[in-house]
Amino acid sequence: MISTRRKPREQVRTRFTRTQEAARHGAEIARRRVGASAERIKPVAADRVLVARGWGAPRIRRAAQYVETGLAPKVSSFLSGVAHRVEPPGRDRPRRGAVVAMVGAVAAVGVAGAVLTRRSVTGGSDDASEEATSADSMTVSGADVDGQVHSPH
């Protein structure tokens, strides 16, 4: 028959304590055995690790070379293609040639306005503009308006 009564706490505590002690004792025995085995196996394991590294290094080197020469260019071209497809269409901007043409037209209109303004100041005739131009060139060369050259003292 199964007892439904609770056992006293002291009895439970002593069972738990005994179980802990048994586990500690078993762990200590296992540690000693594993430690002794590890000391015997250590040189053999070190040799096996060196053999595995010698076997793996050339294979890793070959894999690296394949990634560099074979796989990387393929991945690069694939990503470039994807980027080209993903990129949104460019906006329609005025062409550089159209902008230069507009600036040139504005400059031509400005020059024409300056020439017309100069003609109207000098009297409006072609002879007057030629006289003004020759007088200007004389002034620059050191001559007076009447054409006489003075020496600088």
Side-chain angles (χ1 to χ4, degrees):
M1 182 147 154
I2 300 175
S3 171
T4 57
R5 280 183 26 177
R6 287 187 157 185
K7 296 183 178 170
R9 286 186 182 248
E10 294 169 8
Q11 191 178 10
V12 171
R13 215 175 275 152
T14 57
R15 283 185 186 170
F16 181 69
T17 307
R18 282 184 291 186
T19 307
Q20 277 183 330
E21 288 175 11
R24 284 187 192 122
H25 180 67
E28 181 64 26
I29 292 172
R31 186 189 64 78
R32 280 191 225 133
R33 286 182 183 169
V34 168
S37 296
E39 290 301 319
R40 285 190 313 246
I41 295 173
K42 198 174 191 177
V44 174
D47 288 341
R48 297 261 172 106
V49 167
L50 285 177
V51 168
R53 288 174 62 187
W55 176 85
R59 285 162 178 77
I60 293 171
R61 195 172 294 115
R62 250 183 283 148
Q65 186 177 7
Y66 169 71
V67 166
E68 189 175 323
T69 60
L71 187 62
K74 291 176 185 176
V75 170
S76 175
S77 64
F78 170 75
L79 291 175
S80 295
V82 168
H84 183 68
R85 281 185 248 130
V86 169
E87 189 175 18
R91 296 182 181 160
D92 291 334
R93 297 182 199 156
R95 300 274 184 223
R96 188 174 287 229
V99 172
V100 171
M102 285 192 296
V103 168
V106 168
V109 169
V111 168
V115 168
L116 290 176
T117 304
R118 184 159 174 97
R119 280 189 182 175
S120 66
V121 169
T122 59
S125 70
D126 289 338
D127 293 335
S129 67
E130 287 176 14
E131 289 172 11
T133 305
S134 64
D136 286 343
S137 65
M138 285 182 189
T139 306
V140 171
S141 65
D144 254 349
V145 175
D146 59 5
Q148 294 184 359
V149 178
H150 301 281
S151 64
H153 308 336

